[in-house]
Amino acid sequence: MISDKIRSRLPSAPTPTRRGFLISMAASGAVFGFPKTSIAAMDPAAAGGVPIEAVGQSFEPTMWYWVDTAGQVNVNIIRAEIGQHVGTAIARILADELEVAWEDVHITYVDTDPKWGTMVTGGSWSVWQSWPVYRQAGAAGRVAFIEAAAAKWGVDPGTCEARNGQVTSGENTISYADLVSEGLSRSFTDEELSALPLKPHSDLRLVGKDVTALDIAAKTTGAAIYGLDAKIDGMVYAVPLLPPTRLGSSVTSVDDSAAKDMKGYLQTITLDDPSQTVPGWVVVLGETLMAAKLASEVVKVEWQAGDTAAVSEADIQSRARALIADDATGAILPTETPDTTAAFDAASETLEAEYTTSTVLHFQLEPVNATAFQNEDGKWEIHTGNQWQSLILPTLGAALGVDQTDVIMRTYMVGGGFGRRLNGDYTVPAALTSKALNGAPVKLVLFREDDSKFDSPRSPSVQKLQMAFDSDKKVTGMQHHAAAGWPTQIMAPGFLPKGVNDEPYDIFAIDGADHWYTVGTHKVRAISNDLANRTFRPGWLRSVGPGWTNFAVESFMDEAAHFSGVDPLKFRLDHLIAEGYNAGTSPDSVGGASRQAAVLKQVAEMSGYGSADLDADTAIGIATTFGQSRSMPTWTACAAQVHVDRATGRIEVQKLSMVIDCGTVVDPDSAHGQTQGAALWGLSMALYEGTEIENGNVRDRNLGTYTPVRMIDTPPIDIAFVPSTEVPVGLGEPGATPVAPAIANAIFNAVGARLRHLPMTPDAVLSAMNAAQ
């Protein structure tokens, strides 16, 4: 029921008109009306967020861009901008193939429309997936302009050359802008697009070169628009009161008597959520954000808690170990030789180790938020920054009781995602609150503590690794069993492939375990921890499974090398053999294990591994990974120089060296920045980040107790990229994956302490040193 206070704020019409909804960016003061639903796009990096409009008529050879009579090129971007300059990277791919001047290129981040297909920004997929699509799109325009110019001049198109927005043949020259002015309507079928000639790598003039990022000015001046900046006339603010458990809670009573006389307080609403995304949620409404927040602190709610109210991290890890011990659980991945029975039955010796990781929070800078209302067309508009619009749209439809086509998500810059905004659950309570107010505009914001409590954290994990050796200590088999909460199983089960035993598995909870080493028979078993899945919403966090599976693999490879009496570098190189399953395939993993061996050799040389003259209790550890997955490997190697204080156990990372082979480097500056950021993220998770589940919730909810890496602990990072003309693959996450094992291996080399849990703390170092004596 709507309170009288809120009713008095609503427009007289039952549904507010679009004219009444204006967005403003507080820092710049720019105000503009939203475009019509049919346009449904904006450029949040531009002042006021207004995308450019075509001058005169425009030519649109594919849906990915248009060119107008002024020569402007506007590129449509379906990926989320999270600070990685993805729009710049994608636009330059198209502009290079189209042959236009960079200063004429603009970008528009489009809003949800089925024509765009799956809209997702995660898994380091954006450039990898966009590379063929936008190259073909650019080639389509170039071919169309050449054909039009050739027809105008009566010459063979083969005599024409396109360069910087112009077509030339002999003495004839005409601009793209003039050709558009004269009328151009060429279109291409999918078959024609795939058959278009692409420029040879040697002719690329924007890809791989330093250019100014298209959104850097707005970010620098503060004009860029984020979800927190959205302001709509007449909107009310909502702050939630979260139930004691993520699932299964229900409200038994609400008492807002203490808030009723507070300035700016409007109403408290218990949400009814058919989608079961936010069961047991109560939202407090205010005229301002702080009015809602202050009122929320005195509103009293009683809940019936769900059945996970007493669950602890230890309970979840105990469940993981029990699942691993049951050979009937889990999915067996389709490695080349997944049956390891004979190898282990005949083994002269075996090696076994367990590796564990703690729960890890996203802690993105911008807390999750969303603004929602129903527009005059009856469509529900959701204004927020999001990484996977296609995932949350059906849920929003279910929550609102409408078809998902009646929900539009409008694009904003994302103030830190790291995978948290792949799960758009935070949009649901905003939409439900607006529905409870007959479609009136509502802006819902989670303050930091609730943002952490409502996080989709990286699940704690348990992994058991085993290796079989013959009498000559040659590796004959390897087994990797991993149990954790599965984010994709919970939020996108349709994406789960099946293993050789016909059981589904979450690639984002096992990628990395299916490595490129030749180890004889190789069994990888992925196990879903049902208790973790019921206690919280496991999420995709930067580097996802490879952030912890590679910690186990590369630590275990180090242990196996020492067990065999072989230098860890040599041991790895001896087993990175580009044959059979590990040979690689075109176009994404050409070279296979040989490329991983190459980055490992280079980082060893770059870091001085095995030859550097280091102080006592100081050593270099190495690790190598392949980024996200075998389907799109980014060959990565890291060397960590570490000093350990024997008295305190304090770990000082003095230097990180990294070598990356990501195929073609599209945007050098962004590539370096993303790799550096990923490396620091890997360092943070290795030494500093980690919480625990207590009473069904995360223990640490603000930066007083949750302590990501600080600037004072940031080491120098040397990064080298392997020159390549191969397909560009992912870069946002791979740099995080080898850091933790490289540090762990360096600690062992420095003081003989083997650490098998993340984060690695001084107390853990002291304990491991004592155990090693």
Side-chain angles (χ1 to χ4, degrees):
M1 184 175 181
I2 304 175
S3 72
D4 291 339
K5 282 187 177 181
I6 289 184
R7 194 180 305 278
S8 67
R9 293 170 58 87
L10 297 180
S12 56
T15 302
T17 63
R18 182 185 304 279
R19 190 177 298 111
F21 296 119
L22 299 177
I23 273 286
S24 69
M25 168 55 192
S28 64
V31 178
F32 62 93
F34 275 105
K36 292 187 180 296
T37 303
S38 59
I39 300 174
M42 63 186 293
D43 183 357
V50 181
I52 65 164
E53 294 185 2
V55 176
Q57 58 188 327
S58 62
F59 171 50
E60 189 176 351
T62 80
M63 68 180 182
W64 299 111
Y65 68 106
W66 51 254
V67 183
D68 69 7
T69 57
Q72 295 182 116
V73 180
N74 187 65
V75 184
N76 293 320
I77 307 295
I78 66 171
R79 310 294 177 172
E81 173 52 40
I82 322 173
Q84 81 282 41
H85 303 302
V86 67
T88 291
I90 291 172
R92 83 162 74 199
I93 293 170
L94 186 145
D96 207 331
E97 201 67 57
L98 178 60
E99 271 294 351
V100 292
W102 185 244
E103 56 266 26
D104 293 330
V105 178
H106 306 266
I107 51 179
T108 294
Y109 293 89
V110 300
D111 291 339
T112 51
D113 186 303
K115 74 177 182 179
W116 303 116
T118 301
M119 297 180 72
V120 59
T121 309
S124 296
W125 290 343
S126 295
V127 168
W128 173 59
Q129 291 181 343
S130 301
W131 176 255
V133 173
Y134 283 82
R135 287 198 77 188
Q136 289 175 353
R142 173 169 45 83
V143 167
F145 284 120
I146 286 176
E147 288 177 349
K152 177 181 177 66
W153 298 325
V155 300
D156 186 334
T159 68
C160 298
E161 180 184 23
R163 177 72 66 88
N164 282 333
Q166 293 183 322
V167 181
T168 301
S169 176
E171 298 297 319
N172 297 312
T173 297
I174 190 170
S175 69
Y176 287 2
D178 288 342
L179 287 168
V180 173
S181 297
E182 293 180 6
L184 200 59
S185 60
R186 178 79 157 90
S187 62
F188 297 81
T189 66
D190 290 341
E191 292 74 19
E192 288 173 327
L193 281 172
S194 62
L196 288 174
L198 301 180
K199 293 166 63 174
H201 203 278
S202 58
D203 286 350
L204 295 176
R205 281 179 277 276
L206 292 174
V207 168
K209 308 300 190 296
D210 288 321
V211 300
T212 301
L214 297 176
D215 57 11
I216 197 68
K219 288 178 179 177
T220 302
T221 62
I225 296 179
Y226 296 82
L228 276 172
D229 298 319
K231 290 185 180 179
I232 299 175
D233 268 359
M235 76 180 181
V236 298
Y237 292 83
V239 171
L241 295 171
L242 302 192
T245 58
R246 178 64 176 80
L247 300 172
S249 291
S250 58
V251 177
T252 58
S253 69
V254 177
D255 179 2
D256 70 339
S257 58
K260 286 184 176 179
D261 292 330
M262 295 182 69
K263 183 179 180 180
Y265 170 67
L266 295 173
Q267 185 176 354
T268 296
I269 297 175
T270 298
L271 297 183
D272 178 17
D273 181 12
S275 74
Q276 290 301 300
T277 304
V278 287
W281 272 48
V282 173
V283 294
V284 179
L285 305 178
E287 295 178 358
T288 66
L289 180 59
M290 287 313 299
K293 172 61 175 173
L294 293 173
S296 74
E297 294 174 355
V298 300
V299 173
K300 297 178 181 178
V301 183
E302 293 184 358
W303 286 275
Q304 175 65 49
D307 62 6
T308 59
V311 171
S312 69
E313 184 112 343
D315 294 332
I316 293 172
Q317 297 296 63
S318 293
R319 178 60 177 161
R321 292 185 177 94
L323 289 166
I324 289 173
D326 182 357
D327 291 335
T329 63
I332 310 300
L333 268 64
T335 56
E336 189 172 31
T337 53
D339 187 352
T340 58
T341 305
F344 277 85
D345 285 348
S348 295
E349 295 180 275
T350 61
L351 178 67
E352 180 175 314
E354 179 187 272
Y355 300 89
T356 58
T357 61
S358 295
T359 300
V360 180
L361 298 171
H362 289 86
F363 243 97
Q364 69 287 342
L365 181 62
E366 179 193 11
V368 292
N369 62 86
T371 302
F373 64 91
Q374 191 173 29
N375 68 26
E376 65 178 359
D377 299 326
K379 301 285 186 180
W380 288 94
E381 295 197 16
I382 311 297
H383 297 252
T384 189
N386 185 258
Q387 293 180 246
W388 195 351
Q389 299 94 319
S390 300
L391 177 64
I392 198 60
L393 282 172
T395 304
L396 282 164
L400 292 166
V402 300
D403 190 274
Q404 69 179 74
T405 58
D406 289 325
V407 183
I408 303 167
M409 292 185 70
R410 298 203 183 276
T411 299
Y412 285 75
M413 304 283 266
V414 178
F418 312 123
R420 172 60 183 99
R421 283 176 164 85
L422 285 166
N423 178 7
D425 52 2
Y426 51 91
T427 63
V428 173
L432 289 172
T433 307
S434 177
K435 182 181 180 181
L437 302 180
N438 294 337
V442 173
K443 181 172 185 173
L444 181 138
V445 178
L446 276 73
F447 281 71
R448 180 64 67 197
E449 290 82 2
D450 286 334
D451 182 54
S452 299
K453 187 177 178 181
F454 189 56
D455 195 5
S456 295
R458 189 178 81 177
S459 172
S461 68
V462 176
Q463 301 175 80
K464 184 171 79 171
L465 278 71
Q466 300 160 307
M467 189 171 283
F469 300 83
D470 64 15
S471 57
D472 296 324
K473 288 203 171 181
K474 178 184 177 182
V475 179
T476 58
M478 183 173 175
Q479 296 185 152
H480 190 150
H481 315 269
W486 283 6
T488 317
Q489 179 186 24
I490 299 302
M491 291 183 277
F495 282 76
L496 300 184
K498 287 190 174 181
V500 297
N501 60 344
D502 206 37
E503 291 293 325
Y505 64 93
D506 188 343
I507 60 173
F508 295 105
I510 199 60
D511 272 345
D514 52 345
H515 54 65
W516 294 79
Y517 291 109
T518 297
V519 290
T521 59
H522 184 203
K523 179 179 182 179
V524 177
R525 183 163 62 115
I527 305 166
S528 174
N529 188 326
D530 54 347
L531 182 57
N533 294 341
R534 288 193 297 111
T535 303
F536 54 90
R537 275 286 173 263
W540 302 281
L541 181 141
R542 191 172 187 175
S543 81
V544 281
W548 49 270
T549 59
N550 282 295
F551 168 64
V553 169
E554 283 300 288
S555 295
F556 193 62
M557 284 295 168
D558 223 64
E559 294 199 51
H562 288 287
F563 180 82
S564 303
V566 180
D567 178 80
L569 174 61
K570 184 179 187 307
F571 183 85
R572 287 175 171 82
L573 293 175
D574 287 346
H575 292 89
L576 285 170
I577 304 170
E579 296 176 357
Y581 177 65
N582 296 322
T585 56
S586 179
D588 300 314
S589 60
V590 173
S594 64
R595 287 172 73 184
Q596 188 166 359
V599 294
L600 181 60
K601 289 178 184 176
Q602 185 173 337
V603 85
E605 295 171 0
M606 188 168 83
S607 65
Y609 173 82
S611 61
D613 184 15
L614 303 174
D615 294 336
D617 303 326
T618 304
I620 296 172
I622 55 171
T624 179
T625 66
F626 50 97
Q628 293 308 98
S629 65
R630 287 184 67 97
S631 63
M632 48 160 297
T634 297
W635 313 105
T636 306
C638 177
Q641 183 173 310
V642 170
H643 172 76
V644 178
D645 186 321
R646 286 183 178 270
T648 64
R650 183 180 181 275
I651 304 161
E652 178 193 0
V653 178
Q654 298 178 336
K655 184 179 181 181
L656 292 175
S657 302
M658 302 195 75
V659 177
I660 308 287
D661 179 354
C662 61
T664 298
V665 177
V666 172
D667 187 338
D669 184 65
S670 177
H672 187 274
Q674 288 193 71
T675 301
Q676 188 176 63
L680 290 175
W681 188 278
L683 170 67
S684 193
M685 291 189 292
L687 300 183
Y688 305 103
E689 288 194 54
T691 185
E692 291 189 1
I693 302 297
E694 290 181 352
N695 298 320
N697 278 296
V698 296
R699 178 190 62 208
D700 303 291
R701 300 176 192 172
N702 216 322
L703 293 171
T705 57
Y706 193 82
T707 56
V709 63
R710 267 52 173 177
M711 291 182 68
I712 194 172
D713 297 312
T714 300
I717 306 175
D718 284 348
I719 299 170
F721 290 94
V722 175
S724 177
T725 59
E726 300 294 345
V727 169
V729 283
L731 264 179
E733 298 163 287
T737 60
V739 175
I743 292 172
N745 296 334
I747 292 170
F748 179 83
N749 292 341
V751 295
R754 179 63 68 182
L755 274 67
R756 302 186 180 93
H757 175 77
L758 296 181
M760 295 176 280
T761 65
D763 286 346
V765 172
L766 294 176
S767 179
M769 287 173 59
N770 290 332
Q773 291 177 356

